[in-house]
Amino acid sequence: MAAIGFHQLSAVGLCNGVKHKHSLGVNLPPARRFSASVTAFSSDQWRPGDYEQPFAKSFWDYLEAAKDFIRPEDNSPSRWFSPLESNSKARCDGAPLLLYLPGIDGNGLGLIRQHQKLGQMFDIWCLHIPASNRTAFTDLVGMVETTVKSENHQSPGKPIYLVGESLGACIALAVAACNPEIDLVLILSNPATSFGNSSLQHLAPLAKVLPDQLDLAFLFVLSLIPGGPFKRMIAHWVRGLPEMETAANIYQDLVITSTLTSILADTFRRETLLWKLNLLDAAAMFANAHLHLVQAPSLILSSGNDQILPSKFEGRRLRKKLPKCEVRSFKDNGHCLFLEDGIDLVSIIRATSFYRRGSRLDYISDYIPPTISEFNKCYGVNRLLEVIMGPVFLSTTEDGKMVRGLGGIPSEGPVLLVGNHMLLASDKISLPGQFVHERNINLRPLVHPMMFTRLRDGLLPDVSVYDTLRMMGSVPISGTHLHNLLSARSHILLFPGGIREALHQYKLMWPKKAEFVRAAAKFGAKIVPFCGVGEDDFLRVVVDYNDQVKVPMVKEVLKRVSAEGPGVRGSVEGEEGNQDFHMPGVIPKWPGRYYYYFGKEIETGAEELRDREKAKEVYAEVKKEVERCIEFVKQRREEDPYRPLLPRIHYHLQHGLLSQVPTFPF
């Protein structure tokens, strides 16, 4: 494949809202890297809220920048540019390279609303394909391929991210298919591999025969506008805002529509549109013919309201074709996904565990805690559940005094919080958020690996339902990950009972081995036993696992479901080793209240590490303390006048929704 020259573009600097012109560059060797503005924090010092997007770009910013990029008569070669300032104060050491491959517009500004946050994690280059450029698809692939090979040669231990939209997604797939030995990560938004099933394929012959006065490019441009201009205008009326505000919003959308139509009309003149359609056809054919060669991990982002391509169904098709593929759907979004409100590519990458700096994902060093806005978004959906649950948090100080809240939890790690799993793992709703909110501690729960991967498709829910838990720091349970978290001095949440305990009520199903005690002792970690009580006030189990397996057909289904995800405790016998997936039969009850009680910390050290018998004694002590906490709370909650839901609602009405509702005396 022929490779095109590697150029610096006369681009608009997009840092701190100020425009900076870069001079037109001469041909540069492919190994040359343009600097990007990035900010980094090491994993041990990064806390929630430590970094945030300095300012939010709007769709107006895209329009303003596009004016400088779109020159109808520009037939210069395709080229790379860096979208961020070159004189940044800090750079992210070891940041992987991200190559953005644009859609059919070709200007390379499709990530403009994402640049600042992406720049804190990646070294970003964007591909610009001038409007009048007539480079063949295979030559575009060759250009990207040359860059990928050069960067891989210079930094062989780092992944290279290819973020492609529409046409760019086809380029990314083609490069991955031709270079399976290079460590690539593909993030593909509304791939044009579905071009053959879209109405666009009929647009080219129609455009050739219609008179010049009927410009089909106009309708094509309108369909590219994020949210749809007419849909947005109608939505303003539906919102029921005051007439003056409604009129102002509609006027602004009219201005945006006319401005964007004027700008993109230069990009999609009749001759250019015909060329782009032919390019899409060639791209789709090439990419589809080589899908079987793609080995790179892929994340497909599919819009459910794409007016250009049938992206809603294409994501599902590619999920079956690509061996390491995950799909995330956005049912209300259109074709230009990254330009739409509410789309945060950084959050998507991290929530799907697609961010890594080395050849393998490291759940400790590669983890980036959520920002304040991400935290609020993750737990905003749980706010109503929090009100209904009315959780009470109690902890024990070093002198043995019980206090309301998490004040008794040690501030410095490593700390291992060990407790019982509540029914349906409902403890995951309140615990991580409370630690962030009250103590600014990012809790790292050890969870079943089925929340991260599937061995095959089936009856289990898609892993996307666990994105919030992964964003908040969940880690697949294993001895290695526990060791690494302790080494990083983390606050770790451990439920030794696993799935079987999470599908039972108030019965500890812990294995006999005291391995977590010896692991904690190696790093001198403090173990804090705790309990969760209250799910029996919401649900009552009427059909347990033991009842279900008595039915042969159900037993066979449970075996197939369990085989869909990775197994744990395969060598453990008996009830403690039973980690089969199943859903107990439950009936709802009138809501009560949740309680979390953290007992007094237990010190560990060299003695438990050397002496297995001593480790077993500590293990038994932890288990006994958890059982004591459970019985204590079950008895004392009888004295809580706010245990039922109605008294708590009445209290909130009197004192505000954010007020702390009292509990039993202690």
Side-chain angles (χ1 to χ4, degrees):
M1 298 181 183
I4 300 174
F6 196 75
H7 290 45
Q8 180 178 11
L9 175 67
S10 175
V12 180
L14 302 172
C15 183
N16 301 323
V18 181
K19 295 182 181 180
H20 300 276
K21 292 288 184 180
H22 300 290
S23 60
L24 185 64
V26 295
N27 288 1
L28 298 173
R32 172 71 183 274
R33 171 171 296 182
F34 301 113
S35 60
S37 172
V38 287
T39 304
F41 300 84
S42 62
S43 59
D44 59 342
Q45 67 180 182
W46 207 331
R47 286 290 182 264
D50 276 344
Y51 83 99
E52 195 64 88
Q53 191 169 359
F55 58 90
K57 290 286 184 180
S58 69
F59 193 61
W60 280 105
D61 293 297
Y62 171 79
L63 297 181
E64 287 296 318
K67 293 178 182 178
D68 294 319
F69 274 68
I70 298 174
R71 298 183 178 89
E73 304 305 325
D74 183 6
N75 194 28
S76 57
S78 301
R79 47 214 165 177
W80 298 103
F81 69 94
S82 175
L84 301 177
E85 274 297 280
S86 59
N87 59 349
S88 170
K89 294 181 180 179
R91 290 195 58 186
C92 182
D93 292 335
L97 175 65
L98 185 151
L99 300 179
Y100 171 64
L101 310 176
I104 48 181
D105 61 299
N107 60 38
L109 293 170
L111 290 180
I112 190 170
R113 304 188 72 172
Q114 319 287 331
H115 285 160
Q116 293 298 322
K117 287 189 73 173
L118 285 171
Q120 297 168 5
M121 297 166 51
F122 297 98
D123 189 3
I124 312 172
W125 304 352
C126 300
L127 179 63
H128 174 72
I129 307 173
S132 298
N133 183 283
R134 296 297 183 260
T135 304
F137 175 74
T138 52
D139 290 334
L140 289 174
V141 173
M143 175 188 180
V144 178
E145 186 177 35
T146 299
T147 304
V148 164
K149 287 181 177 180
S150 173
E151 287 302 308
N152 180 68
H153 178 74
Q154 291 217 352
S155 304
K158 291 187 201 174
I160 298 176
Y161 283 72
L162 301 182
V163 178
E165 285 191 276
S166 185
L167 170 66
C170 292
I171 297 175
L173 287 168
V175 172
C178 297
N179 300 274
E181 74 285 355
I182 297 180
D183 186 7
L184 299 174
V185 180
L186 309 184
I187 300 175
L188 313 177
S189 173
N190 301 321
T193 47
S194 62
F195 178 78
N197 296 321
S198 73
S199 57
L200 287 181
Q201 61 178 332
H202 306 297
L203 188 59
L206 186 61
K208 292 178 180 178
V209 299
L210 286 178
D212 292 340
Q213 292 80 3
L214 296 177
D215 193 356
L216 292 179
F218 176 75
L219 296 177
F220 180 73
V221 167
L222 285 182
S223 63
L224 288 174
I225 299 178
F230 304 119
K231 182 179 178 181
R232 287 166 59 93
M233 294 176 196
I234 294 174
H236 292 314
W237 289 106
V238 176
R239 291 170 61 189
L241 297 175
E243 292 183 1
M244 291 298 294
E245 187 174 351
T246 299
N249 289 335
I250 292 178
Y251 175 76
Q252 184 180 31
D253 279 346
L254 285 172
V255 173
I256 290 177
T257 301
S258 61
T259 304
L260 182 63
T261 302
S262 174
I263 292 174
L264 293 187
D266 290 335
T267 305
F268 296 107
R269 293 180 176 182
R270 179 181 296 249
E271 298 78 9
T272 301
L273 179 59
L274 290 172
W275 167 257
K276 296 281 187 180
L277 293 174
N278 290 331
L279 188 63
L280 280 175
D281 188 30
M285 291 181 62
F286 187 97
N288 282 315
H290 294 80
L291 286 179
H292 64 286
L293 298 176
V294 177
Q295 298 298 318
S298 308
L299 176 62
I300 311 295
L301 309 179
S302 298
S303 295
N305 195 30
D306 190 343
Q307 302 299 313
I308 300 295
L309 299 169
S311 300
K312 179 179 179 180
F313 305 101
E314 184 65 4
R316 302 174 191 170
R317 185 183 78 90
L318 292 177
R319 170 69 179 84
K320 298 177 181 179
K321 294 285 187 179
L322 301 175
K324 304 173 185 176
C325 180
E326 290 192 28
V327 178
R328 294 297 181 271
S329 300
F330 305 85
K331 64 177 182 178
D332 297 323
N333 294 95
H335 184 72
C336 300
L337 184 65
F338 297 137
L339 290 175
E340 301 203 14
D341 294 336
I343 300 299
D344 187 342
L345 181 56
V346 165
S347 297
I348 294 170
I349 292 173
R350 286 167 37 214
T352 52
S353 299
F354 262 73
Y355 183 68
R356 56 186 171 90
R357 299 181 181 90
S359 58
R360 292 186 179 182
L361 174 63
D362 187 321
Y363 288 98
I364 289 78
S365 63
D366 287 331
Y367 175 65
I368 302 173
T371 65
I372 293 175
S373 61
E374 289 170 337
F375 171 78
N376 291 334
K377 184 176 181 180
C378 286
Y379 277 90
V381 295
N382 293 331
R383 185 56 191 156
L384 179 59
L385 285 175
E386 288 278 328
V387 173
I388 295 174
M389 291 176 173
V392 175
F393 295 90
L394 304 169
S395 60
T396 308
T397 61
E398 290 186 12
D399 57 4
K401 182 181 178 181
M402 183 187 300
V403 295
R404 183 79 183 265
L406 303 176
I409 304 297
S411 299
E412 298 297 326
V415 176
L416 187 60
L417 305 159
V418 182
N420 65 300
H421 234 331
M422 299 179 76
L423 184 64
L424 303 183
S426 52
D427 31 50
K428 296 288 197 314
I429 296 175
S430 300
L431 277 176
Q434 186 67 21
F435 271 78
V436 171
H437 176 72
E438 185 177 337
R439 296 292 306 278
N440 201 27
I441 292 175
N442 193 242
L443 205 58
R444 306 301 304 273
L446 286 164
V447 302
H448 198 285
M450 68 94 173
M451 295 185 180
F452 288 79
T453 187
R454 291 284 184 275
L455 300 180
R456 59 181 63 88
D457 293 333
L459 298 177
L460 285 177
D462 190 80
V463 293
S464 61
V465 303
Y466 305 109
D467 282 357
T468 296
L469 293 176
R470 293 192 283 191
M471 171 75 79
M472 293 301 297
S474 295
V475 177
I477 189 167
S478 73
T480 300
H481 290 153
L482 175 59
H483 178 278
N484 293 341
L485 287 169
L486 289 167
S487 176
R489 307 186 67 81
S490 304
H491 283 69
I492 308 159
L493 184 61
L494 175 65
F495 299 102
I499 285 181
R500 186 69 181 98
E501 189 175 280
L503 301 175
H504 210 281
Q505 283 184 320
Y506 304 137
K507 181 181 178 181
L508 300 189
M509 298 180 178
W510 294 12
K512 296 179 180 179
K513 293 184 177 180
E515 294 305 316
F516 74 77
V517 174
R518 302 189 72 231
K522 182 177 180 180
F523 297 95
K526 298 174 181 177
I527 299 177
V528 180
F530 77 95
C531 76
V533 171
E535 76 271 25
D536 57 335
D537 273 354
F538 289 77
L539 300 170
R540 180 164 71 91
V541 177
V542 293
V543 180
D544 197 2
Y545 174 83
N546 295 328
D547 301 317
Q548 296 179 25
V549 295
K550 292 177 182 178
V551 181
M553 184 180 297
V554 176
K555 183 178 180 180
E556 186 62 28
V557 171
L558 293 181
K559 286 184 177 180
R560 292 204 304 268
V561 171
S562 298
E564 294 174 15
V568 295
R569 293 188 185 170
S571 60
V572 179
E573 298 180 355
E575 188 78 356
E576 294 79 12
N578 180 7
Q579 296 292 301
D580 287 351
F581 301 123
H582 68 283
M583 179 58 66
V586 297
I587 56 176
K589 299 171 63 177
W590 183 253
R593 196 173 195 183
Y594 273 54
Y595 303 84
Y596 299 94
Y597 175 27
F598 295 85
K600 189 174 181 180
E601 64 189 59
I602 298 173
E603 301 277 355
T604 63
E607 188 176 358
E608 290 81 11
L609 181 61
R610 291 193 305 265
D611 190 342
R612 288 183 177 272
E613 293 302 319
K614 180 62 178 178
K616 290 180 181 179
E617 291 177 11
V618 174
Y619 183 81
E621 181 183 356
V622 173
K623 186 175 181 181
K624 184 177 180 180
E625 178 66 6
V626 173
E627 292 172 334
R628 184 196 69 80
C629 292
I630 292 175
E631 292 305 315
F632 173 82
V633 174
K634 289 174 70 175
Q635 292 178 13
R636 296 302 300 274
R637 68 178 176 172
E638 300 294 335
E639 305 173 28
D640 186 357
Y642 296 98
R643 180 180 173 187
L645 177 61
L646 289 180
R648 296 201 304 276
I649 293 178
H650 184 260
Y651 188 91
H652 281 306
L653 291 175
Q654 288 184 318
H655 300 86
L657 189 62
L658 300 179
S659 59
Q660 186 181 75
V661 181
T663 184
F664 56 79
F666 55 88

